[in-house]
Amino acid sequence: MDMDPKKEQWMNEVMNSLEAKSAAEPNPFLFAKIKQKIESTNTFSDQVFIGKRTLALAFASLALLLSLNILAISELNQQGSNSIAETTSQDDYSYSVVFQDNLNIYGNEAESTF
């Protein structure tokens, strides 16, 4: 397969175009600038340290708050179950009274026609 001489010449020019180029050289101060930037962002002046005592007090208050919530929820559940039992017994009585009253819907009729 013979190639067109123009195409072949163009391919040779493209392949040889990189030979004349020199390697890219970075700015000589670039590494120093990068290093300075990294060191300036790692300063401890921006960071806030929490003392052990403060941290211990925070955890203690959190534990106290959690235990008080658990105690309050258990008290509410206990009161709720007691009131439900009282309400249920009262409702059962009132339901039976209402039910018995509604059985005799026609007054004093002894017989019902169903």
Side-chain angles (χ1 to χ4, degrees):
M1 276 173 58
D2 285 330
M3 264 181 137
D4 185 21
K6 288 183 180 181
K7 281 187 177 182
E8 198 170 319
Q9 182 183 359
W10 176 79
M11 281 180 28
N12 287 335
E13 285 177 7
V14 170
M15 296 297 275
N16 295 331
S17 67
L18 295 176
E19 290 177 5
K21 299 292 179 185
S22 62
E25 292 184 22
N27 184 348
F29 301 108
L30 181 64
F31 182 69
K33 287 180 184 178
I34 293 171
K35 190 175 178 182
Q36 180 186 12
K37 185 74 171 177
I38 290 172
E39 288 174 358
S40 69
T41 58
N42 286 339
T43 59
F44 290 106
S45 62
D46 296 340
Q47 296 179 355
V48 177
F49 291 101
I50 299 174
K52 289 181 182 178
R53 182 177 180 186
T54 305
L55 194 59
L57 286 173
F59 278 122
S61 62
L62 183 65
L64 179 65
L65 183 64
L66 183 64
S67 61
L68 288 175
N69 278 331
I70 291 172
L71 180 66
I73 290 171
S74 66
E75 283 292 321
L76 287 174
N77 283 339
Q78 194 174 38
Q79 288 177 0
S81 65
N82 288 344
S83 66
I84 288 173
E86 291 173 7
T87 305
T88 304
S89 63
Q90 290 174 356
D91 285 345
D92 288 343
Y93 175 73
S94 62
Y95 178 74
S96 65
V97 169
V98 170
F99 185 69
Q100 288 174 1
D101 286 346
N102 286 335
L103 282 178
N104 195 0
I105 56 175
Y106 297 110
N108 289 336
E109 294 180 11
E111 298 179 17
S112 62
T113 56
F114 288 105

